[in-house]
Amino acid sequence: MIQAVIFDLDRTLLDRDASVEHFINHQYDRYKLSLESVSKEVFTSRFIELDQGGYRPKDQVYQQLMVELDLEKQVEEELYQDYNDSFQRYCTPFQGLHEVLLQLRSSKLRLGMITNGNGRFQMDNILALGIQPFFETILISEWEGVKKPDPTIFKRAIKRMNLCSDACVYVGDHLEKDVRAAEDIGMTAIWKKGRQDENSSVRYSIYHLNELPTLLKN
């Protein structure tokens, strides 16, 4: 019997694409005087391309961006620091996030989270979404010293919840780092698809968070 649902964060609970677009547009506006030689369209679109969906370290993103746009090192450092300090103010949840978490909790399901990334940065984003109280355990890869798809971090979450793997469902957007990794240790995995994702040989999938409670009941 399913007793717990463990979530990924980025592109599962946090609409990262919308958040990044929101942030980078506002960053340009706030640093317009330092970026006056570059159009907003060029700056924002190139940042999003270099970001590679969040998988490229941001110091590298800003470093390459400054080289391409012929901007000073000082500007690079200021923008990178601003990203770390300010991104959480632009965090955008997927529609229905709080309602779904409330439904799951009212169904007596326990909730956990496993996310890759910088500890303080990811926790700031979780706090910005206002969802920390829903989760009895949150594992962030930097603080754990291990990251997905390593099975260690999944097993650690299950152990902290004092559950067996077959009592847990894992919900994530990445086929290998989330879905396959969770299945490999005996969890039931649900793929949170994005707009561009094609069909795949995944047993369970959803496009929208509000599909999750019904899927779990069935």
Side-chain angles (χ1 to χ4, degrees):
M1 183 176 74
I2 298 299
Q3 299 179 53
V5 183
I6 302 175
F7 290 90
D8 170 46
L9 177 61
D10 294 322
R11 289 201 174 84
T12 301
L13 303 176
L14 171 72
D15 187 340
R16 192 182 182 283
D17 292 346
S19 301
V20 167
E21 186 172 347
H22 191 200
F23 165 78
I24 199 63
N25 274 280
H26 279 78
Q27 184 177 62
Y28 181 90
D29 292 340
R30 287 184 285 109
Y31 286 87
K32 191 171 183 179
L33 290 177
S34 299
L35 300 170
E36 60 184 355
S37 63
V38 182
S39 73
K40 186 174 186 178
E41 181 181 1
V42 169
F43 178 79
T44 56
S45 63
R46 190 59 183 140
F47 178 92
I48 291 169
E49 290 170 359
L50 292 171
D51 184 50
Q52 296 176 3
Y55 292 106
R56 188 174 185 187
K58 295 308 161 296
D59 57 341
Q60 296 180 17
V61 171
Y62 280 110
Q63 184 178 40
Q64 183 169 343
L65 191 62
M66 296 305 102
V67 170
E68 291 184 6
L69 302 180
D70 194 26
L71 295 169
E72 295 179 2
K73 181 70 174 179
Q74 181 183 347
V75 177
E76 174 193 328
E77 293 170 352
E78 290 176 357
L79 294 177
Y80 177 55
Q81 187 63 49
D82 177 69
Y83 173 84
N84 288 315
D85 293 342
S86 304
F87 183 84
Q88 69 269 17
R89 300 208 304 266
Y90 303 92
C91 285
T92 305
F94 278 112
Q95 185 176 4
L97 171 60
H98 288 82
E99 292 80 1
V100 168
L101 296 179
L102 281 168
Q103 285 184 58
L104 298 182
R105 196 165 66 176
S106 67
S107 299
K108 309 302 181 185
L109 288 167
R110 299 163 63 189
L111 303 181
M113 188 189 304
I114 305 171
T115 178
N116 286 348
N118 174 274
R120 186 70 262 161
F121 183 85
Q122 291 294 67
M123 184 56 71
D124 283 345
N125 293 344
I126 292 166
L127 293 171
L129 293 173
I131 58 175
Q132 184 187 21
F134 288 102
F135 296 91
E136 65 177 81
T137 187
I138 297 174
L139 287 76
I140 304 176
S141 64
E142 183 194 33
W143 288 346
E144 299 298 326
V146 62
K147 64 182 181 179
K148 301 179 294 181
D150 191 314
T152 303
I153 198 166
F154 291 91
K155 293 176 181 177
R156 191 175 295 171
I158 293 168
K159 184 177 181 180
R160 288 182 187 173
M161 300 178 82
N162 196 28
L163 293 170
C164 298
S165 58
D166 59 5
C168 301
V169 167
Y170 189 81
V171 184
D173 72 295
H174 197 285
L175 276 176
E176 297 303 323
K177 294 180 180 180
D178 292 319
V179 176
R180 306 300 185 202
E183 289 177 338
D184 284 346
I185 66 159
M187 299 172 71
T188 298
I190 298 175
W191 184 25
K192 170 67 169 60
K193 290 185 172 184
R195 291 185 295 271
Q196 307 301 320
D197 288 322
E198 300 293 334
N199 292 328
S200 183
S201 57
V202 174
R203 186 174 183 184
Y204 301 111
S205 64
I206 57 173
Y207 275 107
H208 305 287
L209 280 176
N210 57 20
E211 300 171 46
L212 183 59
T214 299
L215 177 58
L216 292 170
K217 286 180 183 179
N218 295 336

